[in-house]
mmCIF file of all heavy atoms in Angstrom:
data_model
loop_
_atom_site.group_PDB
_atom_site.id
_atom_site.type_symbol
_atom_site.label_atom_id
_atom_site.label_comp_id
_atom_site.label_asym_id
_atom_site.label_seq_id
_atom_site.Cartn_x
_atom_site.Cartn_y
_atom_site.Cartn_z
ATOM 1 N N LEU A 11 -44.350 -49.182 47.114
ATOM 2 C CA LEU A 11 -43.204 -48.802 46.288
ATOM 3 C C LEU A 11 -43.415 -49.190 44.829
ATOM 4 O O LEU A 11 -43.050 -48.441 43.910
ATOM 5 C CB LEU A 11 -41.929 -49.465 46.823
ATOM 6 C CG LEU A 11 -41.387 -48.917 48.146
ATOM 7 C CD1 LEU A 11 -40.225 -49.772 48.629
ATOM 8 C CD2 LEU A 11 -40.964 -47.466 47.996
ATOM 9 N N VAL A 24 -44.623 -37.946 30.456
ATOM 10 C CA VAL A 24 -45.387 -36.699 30.432
ATOM 11 C C VAL A 24 -44.445 -35.505 30.574
ATOM 12 O O VAL A 24 -44.565 -34.508 29.849
ATOM 13 C CB VAL A 24 -46.443 -36.680 31.553
ATOM 14 C CG1 VAL A 24 -47.178 -35.338 31.590
ATOM 15 C CG2 VAL A 24 -47.439 -37.819 31.364
ATOM 16 N N GLU A 29 -41.981 -30.719 28.340
ATOM 17 C CA GLU A 29 -40.756 -29.928 28.239
ATOM 18 C C GLU A 29 -40.328 -29.781 26.781
ATOM 19 O O GLU A 29 -39.761 -28.755 26.402
ATOM 20 C CB GLU A 29 -39.645 -30.550 29.083
ATOM 21 C CG GLU A 29 -39.862 -30.368 30.588
ATOM 22 C CD GLU A 29 -38.715 -30.894 31.425
ATOM 23 O OE1 GLU A 29 -37.842 -31.601 30.877
ATOM 24 O OE2 GLU A 29 -38.685 -30.599 32.640
ATOM 25 N N ALA A 48 -53.686 -29.684 47.843
ATOM 26 C CA ALA A 48 -54.974 -30.381 47.725
ATOM 27 C C ALA A 48 -55.226 -31.296 48.922
ATOM 28 O O ALA A 48 -56.379 -31.608 49.242
ATOM 29 C CB ALA A 48 -55.013 -31.183 46.426
ATOM 30 N N LEU A 80 -35.750 -28.739 50.251
ATOM 31 C CA LEU A 80 -35.120 -29.977 49.800
ATOM 32 C C LEU A 80 -35.932 -30.617 48.679
ATOM 33 O O LEU A 80 -35.384 -31.058 47.656
ATOM 34 C CB LEU A 80 -34.997 -30.963 50.971
ATOM 35 C CG LEU A 80 -34.106 -30.547 52.140
ATOM 36 C CD1 LEU A 80 -34.185 -31.585 53.256
ATOM 37 C CD2 LEU A 80 -32.662 -30.382 51.678
ATOM 38 N N ASN A 85 -36.694 -31.912 42.930
ATOM 39 C CA ASN A 85 -37.594 -32.039 41.790
ATOM 40 C C ASN A 85 -37.170 -31.181 40.617
ATOM 41 O O ASN A 85 -37.276 -31.593 39.451
ATOM 42 C CB ASN A 85 -39.022 -31.678 42.213
ATOM 43 C CG ASN A 85 -39.748 -32.845 42.825
ATOM 44 O OD1 ASN A 85 -40.502 -33.540 42.161
ATOM 45 N ND2 ASN A 85 -39.509 -33.082 44.100
ATOM 46 N N SER A 99 -31.553 -43.218 31.675
ATOM 47 C CA SER A 99 -30.373 -42.700 32.357
ATOM 48 C C SER A 99 -30.753 -41.888 33.595
ATOM 49 O O SER A 99 -30.184 -42.061 34.671
ATOM 50 C CB SER A 99 -29.548 -41.833 31.406
ATOM 51 O OG SER A 99 -29.040 -42.610 30.353
ATOM 52 N N LEU A 103 -29.682 -43.106 37.384
ATOM 53 C CA LEU A 103 -28.817 -42.236 38.178
ATOM 54 C C LEU A 103 -29.528 -41.720 39.417
ATOM 55 O O LEU A 103 -28.930 -41.591 40.488
ATOM 56 C CB LEU A 103 -28.314 -41.080 37.311
ATOM 57 C CG LEU A 103 -27.335 -41.496 36.197
ATOM 58 C CD1 LEU A 103 -27.121 -40.343 35.233
ATOM 59 C CD2 LEU A 103 -26.016 -41.952 36.780
ATOM 60 N N ALA A 130 -25.507 -52.955 48.850
ATOM 61 C CA ALA A 130 -26.539 -52.633 47.868
ATOM 62 C C ALA A 130 -26.377 -51.205 47.351
ATOM 63 O O ALA A 130 -26.555 -50.929 46.162
ATOM 64 C CB ALA A 130 -27.924 -52.813 48.485
ATOM 65 N N VAL A 152 -24.560 -33.443 31.248
ATOM 66 C CA VAL A 152 -25.196 -32.403 32.061
ATOM 67 C C VAL A 152 -26.457 -32.958 32.704
ATOM 68 O O VAL A 152 -26.710 -32.769 33.902
ATOM 69 C CB VAL A 152 -25.532 -31.167 31.201
ATOM 70 C CG1 VAL A 152 -26.388 -30.188 31.993
ATOM 71 C CG2 VAL A 152 -24.253 -30.480 30.730
ATOM 72 N N ALA A 157 -29.310 -35.332 37.485
ATOM 73 C CA ALA A 157 -29.981 -36.480 38.082
ATOM 74 C C ALA A 157 -29.275 -36.917 39.360
ATOM 75 O O ALA A 157 -29.922 -37.291 40.350
ATOM 76 C CB ALA A 157 -30.032 -37.636 37.082
ATOM 77 N N MET A 174 -38.547 -37.168 61.335
ATOM 78 C CA MET A 174 -39.615 -36.329 61.892
ATOM 79 C C MET A 174 -40.878 -37.119 62.220
ATOM 80 O O MET A 174 -41.793 -36.587 62.842
ATOM 81 C CB MET A 174 -39.974 -35.223 60.896
ATOM 82 C CG MET A 174 -38.921 -34.159 60.775
ATOM 83 S SD MET A 174 -39.412 -32.881 59.589
ATOM 84 C CE MET A 174 -38.121 -31.671 59.880
ATOM 85 N N VAL A 188 -48.469 -25.703 50.361
ATOM 86 C CA VAL A 188 -48.575 -24.267 50.647
ATOM 87 C C VAL A 188 -47.186 -23.658 50.789
ATOM 88 O O VAL A 188 -46.915 -22.561 50.273
ATOM 89 C CB VAL A 188 -49.407 -24.037 51.921
ATOM 90 C CG1 VAL A 188 -49.406 -22.556 52.286
ATOM 91 C CG2 VAL A 188 -50.833 -24.533 51.726
ATOM 92 N N VAL A 196 -41.452 -16.066 44.437
ATOM 93 C CA VAL A 196 -40.583 -15.016 43.895
ATOM 94 C C VAL A 196 -39.536 -15.584 42.933
ATOM 95 O O VAL A 196 -39.368 -15.062 41.817
ATOM 96 C CB VAL A 196 -39.909 -14.222 45.039
ATOM 97 C CG1 VAL A 196 -38.881 -13.246 44.474
ATOM 98 C CG2 VAL A 196 -40.960 -13.478 45.859
ATOM 99 N N ILE A 212 -51.717 -28.999 27.345
ATOM 100 C CA ILE A 212 -50.523 -28.859 28.167
ATOM 101 C C ILE A 212 -50.904 -28.579 29.615
ATOM 102 O O ILE A 212 -50.340 -29.164 30.555
ATOM 103 C CB ILE A 212 -49.617 -27.729 27.628
ATOM 104 C CG1 ILE A 212 -49.021 -28.136 26.271
ATOM 105 C CG2 ILE A 212 -48.507 -27.412 28.627
ATOM 106 C CD1 ILE A 212 -48.131 -27.073 25.664
ATOM 107 N N LEU A 217 -51.374 -30.492 35.225
ATOM 108 C CA LEU A 217 -52.205 -30.682 36.416
ATOM 109 C C LEU A 217 -52.314 -32.155 36.808
ATOM 110 O O LEU A 217 -52.214 -32.508 37.986
ATOM 111 C CB LEU A 217 -53.596 -30.089 36.183
ATOM 112 C CG LEU A 217 -53.675 -28.567 36.070
ATOM 113 C CD1 LEU A 217 -55.103 -28.133 35.772
ATOM 114 C CD2 LEU A 217 -53.174 -27.904 37.353
ATOM 115 N N ALA A 275 -27.636 -51.564 30.009
ATOM 116 C CA ALA A 275 -28.325 -52.773 30.456
ATOM 117 C C ALA A 275 -27.646 -53.359 31.686
ATOM 118 O O ALA A 275 -28.315 -53.773 32.647
ATOM 119 C CB ALA A 275 -28.368 -53.803 29.327
ATOM 120 N N LEU A 286 -33.058 -56.050 45.235
ATOM 121 C CA LEU A 286 -33.437 -57.409 45.605
ATOM 122 C C LEU A 286 -32.647 -57.910 46.806
ATOM 123 O O LEU A 286 -33.154 -58.678 47.624
ATOM 124 C CB LEU A 286 -33.247 -58.352 44.409
ATOM 125 C CG LEU A 286 -34.122 -58.053 43.184
ATOM 126 C CD1 LEU A 286 -33.770 -59.004 42.037
ATOM 127 C CD2 LEU A 286 -35.594 -58.171 43.535
ATOM 128 N N ASN A 295 -37.088 -54.807 64.615
ATOM 129 C CA ASN A 295 -37.991 -53.922 65.341
ATOM 130 C C ASN A 295 -39.107 -53.369 64.469
ATOM 131 O O ASN A 295 -39.824 -52.477 64.864
ATOM 132 C CB ASN A 295 -37.214 -52.763 65.970
ATOM 133 C CG ASN A 295 -36.456 -51.935 64.949
ATOM 134 O OD1 ASN A 295 -36.346 -52.318 63.795
ATOM 135 N ND2 ASN A 295 -35.927 -50.809 65.391
ATOM 136 N N CYS A 302 -48.138 -50.130 63.407
ATOM 137 C CA CYS A 302 -47.068 -49.626 62.547
ATOM 138 C C CYS A 302 -47.622 -48.860 61.354
ATOM 139 O O CYS A 302 -47.155 -49.007 60.234
ATOM 140 C CB CYS A 302 -46.188 -50.782 62.071
ATOM 141 S SG CYS A 302 -45.062 -51.384 63.312
#
Side-chain angles (χ1 to χ4, degrees):
L11 289 173
V24 176
E29 288 184 348
L80 296 176
N85 275 263
S99 295
L103 292 169
V152 171
M174 288 180 171
V188 175
V196 173
I212 292 179
L217 292 177
L286 297 176
N295 59 350
C302 284

